[in-house]
Amino acid sequence: MFDYFKGFITDKRKSSKGTYLSIEVSGVGYLLEITDREFDTISVNEDKTQKIYSVLTHREDAMSLYGFVNKETRDIFQILLSVSGVGAKMALALLNEFDACDVISLVIDGNYKELTRAKGVGPKLAQKIILELKDKLMKTEFPKSASSAIPQTQAISDTQAVLLSLGYEEDEIENALSKVLPTIAENSNSEEVLRKALTTLSM
């Protein structure tokens, strides 16, 4: 329902219930729960507009808004929510421990032990996250274009599949990769390529 809010950050705070920011848009203040990781990157400034990507969740007893500085972090949060047994608090715990790129890389690599570093994530849940998400992130095949100058290494193919799964358009991905390729080595792994592509896409 809400893709993002663009307004003034009027407050941010931590409590026993979570970490929050308030953003004022056209005279209306919205309270969004955020990750501890992003808390320090957000500044309270009532003179400068800021953009916060959002997710609205709806349960029988409550509606909650969650905010993210970066679109890719928001998108990974939504993908994590698609795993049965992973609620908003668990998804936030994972994104408190790892950035979006790390979560993707751990899922692709099947590294469930590393995922258990997140608060409340045990081995069984970590394996379930990998089992359910790996196909979602990797199942989308990027169309091969005869005119494309992008070399098809495994790292490139993995990056294209993940970015498509995150909702980026084909031309956006091609453009980002064309900018990234001159800055990486030929033997760069998927995580390095993906991280640089996401950084380029978020600019």
Side-chain angles (χ1 to χ4, degrees):
M1 183 177 182
F2 299 110
D3 185 27
Y4 62 84
F5 294 95
K6 193 171 186 179
F8 304 104
I9 306 295
T10 59
D11 185 35
K12 65 175 187 176
R13 58 188 179 275
K14 293 184 179 182
S15 71
S16 58
K17 294 183 179 180
T19 304
Y20 300 89
L21 67 78
S22 295
I23 184 168
E24 182 180 329
V25 182
S26 301
V28 179
Y30 297 91
L31 183 67
L32 294 87
E33 188 167 358
I34 60 176
T35 65
D36 291 334
R37 177 183 286 269
E38 290 191 329
F39 183 83
D40 293 331
T41 70
I42 295 170
S43 59
V44 175
N45 189 334
E46 297 188 38
D47 296 317
K48 179 183 177 182
T49 59
Q50 299 182 60
K51 188 175 186 179
I52 302 294
Y53 292 93
S54 61
V55 173
L56 173 68
T57 63
H58 187 199
R59 302 196 312 269
E60 289 184 5
D61 58 341
M63 294 177 69
S64 301
L65 278 168
Y66 299 90
F68 306 90
V69 173
N70 300 308
K71 179 181 180 294
E72 61 267 21
T73 307
R74 188 273 306 274
D75 294 343
I76 290 299
F77 176 80
Q78 290 180 300
I79 288 175
L80 286 169
L81 291 182
S82 71
V83 178
S84 56
V86 175
K89 294 294 185 184
M90 187 68 71
L92 286 178
L94 283 159
L95 291 171
N96 278 333
E97 186 66 37
F98 310 103
D99 68 22
C101 224
D102 287 335
V103 171
I104 294 171
S105 296
L106 292 173
V107 168
I108 292 174
D109 293 340
N111 191 345
Y112 77 91
K113 290 184 179 179
E114 189 71 6
L115 283 178
T116 61
R117 283 173 41 196
K119 185 178 180 181
V121 178
K124 288 185 177 180
L125 181 57
Q127 291 178 65
K128 188 175 186 180
I129 290 170
I130 288 171
L131 182 65
E132 292 191 25
L133 289 192
K134 192 167 185 177
D135 281 346
K136 288 183 180 180
L137 290 172
M138 303 301 295
K139 70 179 180 181
T140 310
E141 186 174 347
F142 195 85
K144 303 297 187 293
S145 171
S147 62
S148 176
I150 307 297
Q152 287 304 300
T153 65
Q154 188 61 51
I156 293 294
S157 296
D158 289 348
T159 298
Q160 289 172 326
V162 170
L163 292 176
L164 279 173
S165 298
L166 292 178
Y168 290 100
E169 299 294 332
E170 293 168 21
D171 57 343
E172 288 182 295
I173 298 170
E174 287 269 356
N175 184 51
L177 287 173
S178 66
K179 293 177 180 177
V180 164
L181 284 177
T183 70
I184 59 175
E186 289 185 11
N187 60 347
S188 295
N189 59 28
S190 301
E191 181 180 355
E192 183 180 354
V193 177
L194 178 61
R195 190 178 295 279
K196 289 197 172 187
L198 283 171
T199 299
T200 299
L201 286 163
S202 65
M203 290 179 176

